[in-house]
Amino acid sequence: MVSGSYQLFFESPIGWLKIRGDVDAVCTVSFAEEEQQNSVDLPAVLLTCGEQLRAYFDGKKRTFDVPIRTNGTHFQKQVWGLLAKIPFGNTVSYQYLARQLNNAGAVRAVGLANSKNPFAILLPCHRVIGVDGQLTGYAGGLWRKRWLLEHEMQGGQFTLF
């Protein structure tokens, strides 16, 4: 049962994260410029999401298992589903994702869907890089993308999966 919307602000090494959701699922995780007021009586799912993000940043968690509610087009949901399958510490190219969708010509569409990912870090769009190995767009800024990749590689070099 969906009743009300809640928000939790989480301070991470790469800035504030805003976790929004309801009693059943997380609906978005996005970057915020500053901390704002947390909702009163936060549901367990948001608190669990915050705990899992803390464990991720502490190097103790590699995957997330909080329920999420996606709201996007069929194509976006397909791309986001592929993001969830990219293993921790690995990267893929936009071209690779397009091929996984059996549509090698959809590289730009994949990039656009990736940019609309409403679940920063949970659905690891930061693990998608250019086919030449270059870092390309990230809604949170390329510095955050680099930080996340280096965090996952523990300072090592990231390579295409």
Side-chain angles (χ1 to χ4, degrees):
M1 176 181 161
V2 176
S3 62
S5 180
Y6 301 88
Q7 65 183 17
L8 169 65
F9 285 84
F10 173 84
E11 189 173 16
S12 79
I14 55 174
W16 288 99
L17 292 171
K18 179 180 182 179
I19 305 167
R20 285 188 51 252
D22 55 41
V23 296
D24 297 317
V26 173
C27 297
T28 63
V29 176
S30 59
F31 295 102
E33 293 301 315
E34 58 188 30
E35 179 183 23
Q36 297 174 25
Q37 182 91 19
N38 286 336
S39 297
V40 177
D41 297 324
L42 288 165
V45 68
L46 266 65
L47 295 171
T48 299
C49 185
E51 290 166 5
Q52 289 188 13
L53 283 165
R54 171 63 55 217
Y56 167 83
F57 284 111
D58 288 346
K60 297 176 182 169
K61 189 155 186 66
R62 295 177 167 216
T63 60
F64 301 95
D65 56 7
V66 293
I68 61 173
R69 181 174 298 110
T70 58
N71 186 18
T73 67
H74 176 71
F75 183 79
Q76 287 171 331
K77 289 178 180 181
Q78 285 182 305
V79 172
W80 300 339
L82 291 175
L83 295 178
K85 296 177 182 178
I86 304 170
F88 180 93
N90 290 278
T91 56
V92 300
S93 69
Y94 297 95
Q95 184 177 71
Y96 173 86
L97 293 177
R99 288 183 180 151
Q100 294 302 301
L101 295 170
N102 295 316
N103 190 348
V107 174
R108 287 180 189 247
V110 165
L112 184 59
N114 200 47
S115 74
K116 303 293 184 191
N117 171 18
F119 300 98
I121 304 167
L122 298 187
L123 294 182
C125 58
H126 61 275
R127 296 179 189 154
V128 183
I129 62 177
V131 71
D132 60 358
Q134 295 294 311
L135 296 187
T136 56
Y138 186 64
L142 288 180
W143 72 271
R144 284 187 176 110
K145 184 172 191 165
R146 179 173 300 284
W147 191 98
L148 290 164
L149 290 172
E150 288 175 353
H151 169 69
E152 292 185 9
M153 309 304 167
Q154 299 174 359
Q157 194 68 13
F158 46 88
T159 55
L160 281 175
F161 159 55

